[in-house]
Amino acid sequence: QVQLVESGGGLVQAGGSLRLSCAASGRTFSSYAMGWFRQAPGKEREFVAAISWNGGRTYYADSVKGRFTISRDNAKNTVYLQMNSLKPEDTAVYYCAVHESGSYYDPDGYDYWGQGTQVTVSS
């Protein structure tokens, strides 16, 4: 069993920054790749970023490449998402998840999810 708790969301103006955190417990965190997804009202959950177990490889959606950075601290069992140059279209609930198998880009490949944190970007 794994528990994931996201934090760091909030309301920010366009062009601003936020850093999301995802604290994990209950499993050997450093053994697994992690991902961030987001879901806006009326839309499907979409991939944002993923990071390999040791942080050596990262993957991003085209829509956030160059603006968002995923990182992890295995000593703290935490994964981060630094979001810069935020846009109103980044408004969504952001979720972190543990990657189990398959494509990093497919939410079906993740088997544990946090409760989500709301990010709202005003224009």
Side-chain angles (χ1 to χ4, degrees):
Q1 195 74 7
V2 178
Q3 294 79 44
L4 301 172
V5 179
E6 301 98 336
S7 61
L11 173 64
V12 64
Q13 289 188 332
S17 298
L18 284 173
R19 188 175 84 153
L20 306 184
S21 299
C22 172
S25 62
R27 185 183 255 186
T28 306
F29 175 78
S30 60
S31 298
Y32 294 89
M34 298 290 295
W36 284 96
F37 288 76
R38 66 187 182 187
Q39 189 166 19
K43 295 188 176 181
E44 293 188 352
R45 191 167 297 190
E46 65 172 355
F47 171 79
V48 176
I51 188 166
S52 62
W53 67 273
N54 64 351
R57 290 173 293 170
T58 56
Y59 308 84
Y60 296 95
D62 288 343
S63 59
V64 307
K65 203 170 292 183
R67 301 188 298 123
F68 291 11
T69 302
I70 189 171
S71 62
R72 67 190 297 161
D73 184 340
N74 286 345
K76 295 182 178 180
N77 285 359
T78 302
V79 63
Y80 304 97
L81 186 68
Q82 177 67 43
M83 306 186 295
N84 299 328
S85 302
L86 282 161
K87 305 175 180 180
E89 51 263 43
D90 294 317
T91 296
V93 177
Y94 284 71
Y95 301 88
C96 66
V98 177
H99 181 259
E100 181 66 25
S101 64
S103 170
Y104 288 124
Y105 301 88
D106 185 353
D108 289 341
Y110 294 76
D111 61 352
Y112 292 99
W113 295 81
Q115 83 290 347
T117 185
Q118 176 71 48
V119 171
T120 303
V121 184
S122 63
S123 58

PDB file of all heavy atoms in Angstrom, residues 92-121:
ATOM      1  N   ALA A  92      -6.044  23.292 -13.320  1.00  0.00           N
ATOM      2  CA  ALA A  92      -6.480  21.897 -13.214  1.00  0.00           C
ATOM      3  C   ALA A  92      -6.208  21.405 -11.797  1.00  0.00           C
ATOM      4  O   ALA A  92      -5.521  22.076 -11.014  1.00  0.00           O
ATOM      5  CB  ALA A  92      -5.733  21.014 -14.211  1.00  0.00           C
ATOM      6  N   VAL A  93      -6.729  20.224 -11.512  1.00  0.00           N
ATOM      7  CA  VAL A  93      -6.298  19.496 -10.321  1.00  0.00           C
ATOM      8  C   VAL A  93      -5.093  18.645 -10.739  1.00  0.00           C
ATOM      9  O   VAL A  93      -5.153  17.922 -11.734  1.00  0.00           O
ATOM     10  CB  VAL A  93      -7.416  18.601  -9.769  1.00  0.00           C
ATOM     11  CG1 VAL A  93      -6.902  17.809  -8.567  1.00  0.00           C
ATOM     12  CG2 VAL A  93      -8.625  19.442  -9.374  1.00  0.00           C
ATOM     13  N   TYR A  94      -4.022  18.759  -9.974  1.00  0.00           N
ATOM     14  CA  TYR A  94      -2.785  18.042 -10.280  1.00  0.00           C
ATOM     15  C   TYR A  94      -2.631  16.854  -9.335  1.00  0.00           C
ATOM     16  O   TYR A  94      -2.800  17.002  -8.115  1.00  0.00           O
ATOM     17  CB  TYR A  94      -1.588  18.972 -10.149  1.00  0.00           C
ATOM     18  CG  TYR A  94      -1.458  19.914 -11.321  1.00  0.00           C
ATOM     19  CD1 TYR A  94      -2.364  20.955 -11.512  1.00  0.00           C
ATOM     20  CD2 TYR A  94      -0.441  19.759 -12.255  1.00  0.00           C
ATOM     21  CE1 TYR A  94      -2.263  21.797 -12.611  1.00  0.00           C
ATOM     22  CE2 TYR A  94      -0.318  20.610 -13.349  1.00  0.00           C
ATOM     23  CZ  TYR A  94      -1.242  21.625 -13.519  1.00  0.00           C
ATOM     24  OH  TYR A  94      -1.136  22.468 -14.607  1.00  0.00           O
ATOM     25  N   TYR A  95      -2.304  15.706  -9.927  1.00  0.00           N
ATOM     26  CA  TYR A  95      -2.157  14.462  -9.188  1.00  0.00           C
ATOM     27  C   TYR A  95      -0.763  13.883  -9.380  1.00  0.00           C
ATOM     28  O   TYR A  95      -0.228  13.916 -10.499  1.00  0.00           O
ATOM     29  CB  TYR A  95      -3.152  13.417  -9.679  1.00  0.00           C
ATOM     30  CG  TYR A  95      -4.604  13.799  -9.575  1.00  0.00           C
ATOM     31  CD1 TYR A  95      -5.239  14.481 -10.604  1.00  0.00           C
ATOM     32  CD2 TYR A  95      -5.347  13.463  -8.450  1.00  0.00           C
ATOM     33  CE1 TYR A  95      -6.573  14.820 -10.524  1.00  0.00           C
ATOM     34  CE2 TYR A  95      -6.691  13.800  -8.353  1.00  0.00           C
ATOM     35  CZ  TYR A  95      -7.292  14.477  -9.395  1.00  0.00           C
ATOM     36  OH  TYR A  95      -8.618  14.807  -9.303  1.00  0.00           O
ATOM     37  N   CYS A  96      -0.214  13.321  -8.320  1.00  0.00           N
ATOM     38  CA  CYS A  96       0.992  12.521  -8.494  1.00  0.00           C
ATOM     39  C   CYS A  96       0.594  11.045  -8.409  1.00  0.00           C
ATOM     40  O   CYS A  96      -0.454  10.704  -7.845  1.00  0.00           O
ATOM     41  CB  CYS A  96       2.057  12.853  -7.460  1.00  0.00           C
ATOM     42  SG  CYS A  96       1.639  12.445  -5.770  1.00  0.00           S
ATOM     43  N   ALA A  97       1.436  10.202  -8.977  1.00  0.00           N
ATOM     44  CA  ALA A  97       1.112   8.789  -9.042  1.00  0.00           C
ATOM     45  C   ALA A  97       2.383   7.954  -9.145  1.00  0.00           C
ATOM     46  O   ALA A  97       3.413   8.428  -9.621  1.00  0.00           O
ATOM     47  CB  ALA A  97       0.213   8.502 -10.237  1.00  0.00           C
ATOM     48  N   VAL A  98       2.287   6.709  -8.692  1.00  0.00           N
ATOM     49  CA  VAL A  98       3.388   5.752  -8.760  1.00  0.00           C
ATOM     50  C   VAL A  98       3.284   4.953 -10.058  1.00  0.00           C
ATOM     51  O   VAL A  98       2.240   4.345 -10.332  1.00  0.00           O
ATOM     52  CB  VAL A  98       3.351   4.787  -7.552  1.00  0.00           C
ATOM     53  CG1 VAL A  98       4.456   3.748  -7.684  1.00  0.00           C
ATOM     54  CG2 VAL A  98       3.488   5.552  -6.250  1.00  0.00           C
ATOM     55  N   HIS A  99       4.352   4.960 -10.836  1.00  0.00           N
ATOM     56  CA  HIS A  99       4.345   4.211 -12.082  1.00  0.00           C
ATOM     57  C   HIS A  99       4.579   2.726 -11.816  1.00  0.00           C
ATOM     58  O   HIS A  99       5.510   2.356 -11.096  1.00  0.00           O
ATOM     59  CB  HIS A  99       5.419   4.743 -13.020  1.00  0.00           C
ATOM     60  CG  HIS A  99       5.451   4.041 -14.333  1.00  0.00           C
ATOM     61  ND1 HIS A  99       6.379   3.068 -14.638  1.00  0.00           N
ATOM     62  CD2 HIS A  99       4.644   4.153 -15.415  1.00  0.00           C
ATOM     63  CE1 HIS A  99       6.150   2.622 -15.848  1.00  0.00           C
ATOM     64  NE2 HIS A  99       5.104   3.271 -16.352  1.00  0.00           N
ATOM     65  N   GLU A 100       3.734   1.907 -12.402  1.00  0.00           N
ATOM     66  CA  GLU A 100       3.853   0.459 -12.218  1.00  0.00           C
ATOM     67  C   GLU A 100       4.411  -0.240 -13.450  1.00  0.00           C
ATOM     68  O   GLU A 100       5.329  -1.044 -13.369  1.00  0.00           O
ATOM     69  CB  GLU A 100       2.477  -0.135 -11.863  1.00  0.00           C
ATOM     70  CG  GLU A 100       2.477  -1.636 -11.620  1.00  0.00           C
ATOM     71  CD  GLU A 100       3.258  -2.010 -10.389  1.00  0.00           C
ATOM     72  OE1 GLU A 100       3.401  -1.159  -9.490  1.00  0.00           O
ATOM     73  OE2 GLU A 100       3.763  -3.147 -10.314  1.00  0.00           O
ATOM     74  N   SER A 101       3.830   0.059 -14.625  1.00  0.00           N
ATOM     75  CA  SER A 101       4.274  -0.622 -15.847  1.00  0.00           C
ATOM     76  C   SER A 101       3.785   0.141 -17.064  1.00  0.00           C
ATOM     77  O   SER A 101       2.897   0.985 -16.965  1.00  0.00           O
ATOM     78  CB  SER A 101       3.745  -2.058 -15.882  1.00  0.00           C
ATOM     79  OG  SER A 101       2.328  -2.057 -15.936  1.00  0.00           O
ATOM     80  N   GLY A 102       4.373  -0.180 -18.193  1.00  0.00           N
ATOM     81  CA  GLY A 102       3.914   0.403 -19.441  1.00  0.00           C
ATOM     82  C   GLY A 102       4.414   1.813 -19.654  1.00  0.00           C
ATOM     83  O   GLY A 102       5.393   2.253 -19.045  1.00  0.00           O
ATOM     84  N   SER A 103       3.708   2.511 -20.537  1.00  0.00           N
ATOM     85  CA  SER A 103       4.106   3.861 -20.909  1.00  0.00           C
ATOM     86  C   SER A 103       3.986   4.853 -19.756  1.00  0.00           C
ATOM     87  O   SER A 103       3.004   4.832 -19.009  1.00  0.00           O
ATOM     88  CB  SER A 103       3.245   4.344 -22.073  1.00  0.00           C
ATOM     89  OG  SER A 103       3.447   5.711 -22.318  1.00  0.00           O
ATOM     90  N   TYR A 104       4.970   5.719 -19.646  1.00  0.00           N
ATOM     91  CA  TYR A 104       4.893   6.782 -18.639  1.00  0.00           C
ATOM     92  C   TYR A 104       3.759   7.757 -18.937  1.00  0.00           C
ATOM     93  O   TYR A 104       3.274   8.439 -18.041  1.00  0.00           O
ATOM     94  CB  TYR A 104       6.205   7.565 -18.607  1.00  0.00           C
ATOM     95  CG  TYR A 104       7.365   6.820 -17.997  1.00  0.00           C
ATOM     96  CD1 TYR A 104       8.544   6.645 -18.711  1.00  0.00           C
ATOM     97  CD2 TYR A 104       7.294   6.299 -16.715  1.00  0.00           C
ATOM     98  CE1 TYR A 104       9.627   5.976 -18.166  1.00  0.00           C
ATOM     99  CE2 TYR A 104       8.360   5.624 -16.168  1.00  0.00           C
ATOM    100  CZ  TYR A 104       9.531   5.466 -16.895  1.00  0.00           C
ATOM    101  OH  TYR A 104      10.595   4.791 -16.353  1.00  0.00           O
ATOM    102  N   TYR A 105       3.353   7.818 -20.195  1.00  0.00           N
ATOM    103  CA  TYR A 105       2.376   8.806 -20.626  1.00  0.00           C
ATOM    104  C   TYR A 105       0.932   8.354 -20.408  1.00  0.00           C
ATOM    105  O   TYR A 105       0.010   9.157 -20.528  1.00  0.00           O
ATOM    106  CB  TYR A 105       2.582   9.125 -22.106  1.00  0.00           C
ATOM    107  CG  TYR A 105       3.953   9.668 -22.427  1.00  0.00           C
ATOM    108  CD1 TYR A 105       5.015   8.829 -22.718  1.00  0.00           C
ATOM    109  CD2 TYR A 105       4.177  11.050 -22.424  1.00  0.00           C
ATOM    110  CE1 TYR A 105       6.288   9.336 -22.998  1.00  0.00           C
ATOM    111  CE2 TYR A 105       5.441  11.557 -22.707  1.00  0.00           C
ATOM    112  CZ  TYR A 105       6.479  10.689 -22.991  1.00  0.00           C
ATOM    113  OH  TYR A 105       7.726  11.193 -23.271  1.00  0.00           O
ATOM    114  N   ASP A 106       0.735   7.102 -20.090  1.00  0.00           N
ATOM    115  CA  ASP A 106      -0.594   6.514 -19.961  1.00  0.00           C
ATOM    116  C   ASP A 106      -0.976   6.385 -18.498  1.00  0.00           C
ATOM    117  O   ASP A 106      -0.298   5.684 -17.739  1.00  0.00           O
ATOM    118  CB  ASP A 106      -0.595   5.132 -20.620  1.00  0.00           C
ATOM    119  CG  ASP A 106      -1.963   4.490 -20.637  1.00  0.00           C
ATOM    120  OD1 ASP A 106      -2.901   5.055 -20.025  1.00  0.00           O
ATOM    121  OD2 ASP A 106      -2.103   3.427 -21.261  1.00  0.00           O
ATOM    122  N   PRO A 107      -2.071   7.032 -18.065  1.00  0.00           N
ATOM    123  CA  PRO A 107      -2.459   6.924 -16.650  1.00  0.00           C
ATOM    124  C   PRO A 107      -2.752   5.487 -16.216  1.00  0.00           C
ATOM    125  O   PRO A 107      -2.655   5.170 -15.022  1.00  0.00           O
ATOM    126  CB  PRO A 107      -3.702   7.811 -16.552  1.00  0.00           C
ATOM    127  CG  PRO A 107      -4.189   7.983 -17.952  1.00  0.00           C
ATOM    128  CD  PRO A 107      -2.977   7.902 -18.817  1.00  0.00           C
ATOM    129  N   ASP A 108      -3.090   4.610 -17.149  1.00  0.00           N
ATOM    130  CA  ASP A 108      -3.354   3.210 -16.802  1.00  0.00           C
ATOM    131  C   ASP A 108      -2.098   2.485 -16.312  1.00  0.00           C
ATOM    132  O   ASP A 108      -2.200   1.408 -15.723  1.00  0.00           O
ATOM    133  CB  ASP A 108      -3.940   2.465 -18.000  1.00  0.00           C
ATOM    134  CG  ASP A 108      -5.360   2.895 -18.307  1.00  0.00           C
ATOM    135  OD1 ASP A 108      -6.003   3.485 -17.407  1.00  0.00           O
ATOM    136  OD2 ASP A 108      -5.820   2.676 -19.436  1.00  0.00           O
ATOM    137  N   GLY A 109      -0.953   3.078 -16.556  1.00  0.00           N
ATOM    138  CA  GLY A 109       0.295   2.477 -16.102  1.00  0.00           C
ATOM    139  C   GLY A 109       0.671   2.821 -14.676  1.00  0.00           C
ATOM    140  O   GLY A 109       1.710   2.413 -14.187  1.00  0.00           O
ATOM    141  N   TYR A 110      -0.183   3.564 -13.995  1.00  0.00           N
ATOM    142  CA  TYR A 110       0.072   4.012 -12.628  1.00  0.00           C
ATOM    143  C   TYR A 110      -0.932   3.367 -11.700  1.00  0.00           C
ATOM    144  O   TYR A 110      -2.128   3.283 -12.019  1.00  0.00           O
ATOM    145  CB  TYR A 110      -0.046   5.533 -12.560  1.00  0.00           C
ATOM    146  CG  TYR A 110       1.035   6.246 -13.352  1.00  0.00           C
ATOM    147  CD1 TYR A 110       0.973   6.314 -14.737  1.00  0.00           C
ATOM    148  CD2 TYR A 110       2.122   6.837 -12.718  1.00  0.00           C
ATOM    149  CE1 TYR A 110       1.970   6.944 -15.477  1.00  0.00           C
ATOM    150  CE2 TYR A 110       3.113   7.487 -13.443  1.00  0.00           C
ATOM    151  CZ  TYR A 110       3.026   7.528 -14.819  1.00  0.00           C
ATOM    152  OH  TYR A 110       4.007   8.157 -15.545  1.00  0.00           O
ATOM    153  N   ASP A 111      -0.473   2.923 -10.543  1.00  0.00           N
ATOM    154  CA  ASP A 111      -1.394   2.173  -9.691  1.00  0.00           C
ATOM    155  C   ASP A 111      -1.702   2.807  -8.352  1.00  0.00           C
ATOM    156  O   ASP A 111      -2.554   2.305  -7.627  1.00  0.00           O
ATOM    157  CB  ASP A 111      -0.883   0.742  -9.481  1.00  0.00           C
ATOM    158  CG  ASP A 111       0.474   0.696  -8.796  1.00  0.00           C
ATOM    159  OD1 ASP A 111       1.096   1.755  -8.622  1.00  0.00           O
ATOM    160  OD2 ASP A 111       0.908  -0.419  -8.457  1.00  0.00           O
ATOM    161  N   TYR A 112      -1.044   3.872  -7.977  1.00  0.00           N
ATOM    162  CA  TYR A 112      -1.395   4.595  -6.756  1.00  0.00           C
ATOM    163  C   TYR A 112      -1.428   6.080  -7.082  1.00  0.00           C
ATOM    164  O   TYR A 112      -0.518   6.590  -7.747  1.00  0.00           O
ATOM    165  CB  TYR A 112      -0.400   4.326  -5.629  1.00  0.00           C
ATOM    166  CG  TYR A 112      -0.447   2.909  -5.113  1.00  0.00           C
ATOM    167  CD1 TYR A 112       0.482   1.969  -5.533  1.00  0.00           C
ATOM    168  CD2 TYR A 112      -1.435   2.515  -4.215  1.00  0.00           C
ATOM    169  CE1 TYR A 112       0.441   0.671  -5.073  1.00  0.00           C
ATOM    170  CE2 TYR A 112      -1.487   1.209  -3.745  1.00  0.00           C
ATOM    171  CZ  TYR A 112      -0.547   0.296  -4.176  1.00  0.00           C
ATOM    172  OH  TYR A 112      -0.593  -0.989  -3.725  1.00  0.00           O
ATOM    173  N   TRP A 113      -2.465   6.733  -6.558  1.00  0.00           N
ATOM    174  CA  TRP A 113      -2.687   8.146  -6.853  1.00  0.00           C
ATOM    175  C   TRP A 113      -2.911   8.934  -5.578  1.00  0.00           C
ATOM    176  O   TRP A 113      -3.498   8.416  -4.615  1.00  0.00           O
ATOM    177  CB  TRP A 113      -3.925   8.306  -7.748  1.00  0.00           C
ATOM    178  CG  TRP A 113      -3.761   7.704  -9.099  1.00  0.00           C
ATOM    179  CD1 TRP A 113      -3.899   6.390  -9.444  1.00  0.00           C
ATOM    180  CD2 TRP A 113      -3.423   8.394 -10.308  1.00  0.00           C
ATOM    181  NE1 TRP A 113      -3.666   6.220 -10.796  1.00  0.00           N
ATOM    182  CE2 TRP A 113      -3.374   7.439 -11.343  1.00  0.00           C
ATOM    183  CE3 TRP A 113      -3.158   9.731 -10.611  1.00  0.00           C
ATOM    184  CZ2 TRP A 113      -3.070   7.782 -12.649  1.00  0.00           C
ATOM    185  CZ3 TRP A 113      -2.857  10.072 -11.910  1.00  0.00           C
ATOM    186  CH2 TRP A 113      -2.806   9.106 -12.922  1.00  0.00           C
ATOM    187  N   GLY A 114      -2.474  10.185  -5.591  1.00  0.00           N
ATOM    188  CA  GLY A 114      -2.808  11.075  -4.503  1.00  0.00           C
ATOM    189  C   GLY A 114      -4.203  11.650  -4.685  1.00  0.00           C
ATOM    190  O   GLY A 114      -4.904  11.336  -5.650  1.00  0.00           O
ATOM    191  N   GLN A 115      -4.586  12.511  -3.744  1.00  0.00           N
ATOM    192  CA  GLN A 115      -5.932  13.084  -3.761  1.00  0.00           C
ATOM    193  C   GLN A 115      -6.024  14.304  -4.661  1.00  0.00           C
ATOM    194  O   GLN A 115      -7.120  14.762  -4.982  1.00  0.00           O
ATOM    195  CB  GLN A 115      -6.377  13.449  -2.336  1.00  0.00           C
ATOM    196  CG  GLN A 115      -5.867  14.802  -1.829  1.00  0.00           C
ATOM    197  CD  GLN A 115      -4.367  14.840  -1.545  1.00  0.00           C
ATOM    198  OE1 GLN A 115      -3.708  13.807  -1.497  1.00  0.00           O
ATOM    199  NE2 GLN A 115      -3.830  16.039  -1.361  1.00  0.00           N
ATOM    200  N   GLY A 116      -4.878  14.836  -5.060  1.00  0.00           N
ATOM    201  CA  GLY A 116      -4.852  15.976  -5.965  1.00  0.00           C
ATOM    202  C   GLY A 116      -4.741  17.305  -5.238  1.00  0.00           C
ATOM    203  O   GLY A 116      -5.129  17.436  -4.071  1.00  0.00           O
ATOM    204  N   THR A 117      -4.190  18.289  -5.938  1.00  0.00           N
ATOM    205  CA  THR A 117      -4.101  19.650  -5.429  1.00  0.00           C
ATOM    206  C   THR A 117      -4.511  20.596  -6.551  1.00  0.00           C
ATOM    207  O   THR A 117      -4.100  20.433  -7.707  1.00  0.00           O
ATOM    208  CB  THR A 117      -2.683  19.962  -4.902  1.00  0.00           C
ATOM    209  OG1 THR A 117      -2.671  21.253  -4.300  1.00  0.00           O
ATOM    210  CG2 THR A 117      -1.631  19.901  -5.994  1.00  0.00           C
ATOM    211  N   GLN A 118      -5.331  21.575  -6.210  1.00  0.00           N
ATOM    212  CA  GLN A 118      -5.891  22.483  -7.211  1.00  0.00           C
ATOM    213  C   GLN A 118      -4.882  23.575  -7.566  1.00  0.00           C
ATOM    214  O   GLN A 118      -4.319  24.225  -6.676  1.00  0.00           O
ATOM    215  CB  GLN A 118      -7.174  23.126  -6.690  1.00  0.00           C
ATOM    216  CG  GLN A 118      -7.786  24.166  -7.614  1.00  0.00           C
ATOM    217  CD  GLN A 118      -8.393  23.559  -8.861  1.00  0.00           C
ATOM    218  OE1 GLN A 118      -9.139  22.585  -8.788  1.00  0.00           O
ATOM    219  NE2 GLN A 118      -8.085  24.136 -10.034  1.00  0.00           N
ATOM    220  N   VAL A 119      -4.695  23.782  -8.852  1.00  0.00           N
ATOM    221  CA  VAL A 119      -3.902  24.895  -9.362  1.00  0.00           C
ATOM    222  C   VAL A 119      -4.815  25.750 -10.232  1.00  0.00           C
ATOM    223  O   VAL A 119      -5.439  25.245 -11.164  1.00  0.00           O
ATOM    224  CB  VAL A 119      -2.696  24.400 -10.183  1.00  0.00           C
ATOM    225  CG1 VAL A 119      -2.007  25.568 -10.887  1.00  0.00           C
ATOM    226  CG2 VAL A 119      -1.711  23.661  -9.293  1.00  0.00           C
ATOM    227  N   THR A 120      -4.913  27.027  -9.893  1.00  0.00           N
ATOM    228  CA  THR A 120      -5.735  27.948 -10.651  1.00  0.00           C
ATOM    229  C   THR A 120      -4.868  29.119 -11.104  1.00  0.00           C
ATOM    230  O   THR A 120      -4.230  29.780 -10.275  1.00  0.00           O
ATOM    231  CB  THR A 120      -6.907  28.462  -9.819  1.00  0.00           C
ATOM    232  OG1 THR A 120      -7.687  27.344  -9.354  1.00  0.00           O
ATOM    233  CG2 THR A 120      -7.795  29.384 -10.648  1.00  0.00           C
ATOM    234  N   VAL A 121      -4.859  29.350 -12.404  1.00  0.00           N
ATOM    235  CA  VAL A 121      -4.062  30.429 -12.978  1.00  0.00           C
ATOM    236  C   VAL A 121      -5.015  31.466 -13.556  1.00  0.00           C
ATOM    237  O   VAL A 121      -5.785  31.167 -14.466  1.00  0.00           O
ATOM    238  CB  VAL A 121      -3.110  29.912 -14.061  1.00  0.00           C
ATOM    239  CG1 VAL A 121      -2.211  31.044 -14.567  1.00  0.00           C
ATOM    240  CG2 VAL A 121      -2.261  28.762 -13.528  1.00  0.00           C
TER     241      VAL A 121
END
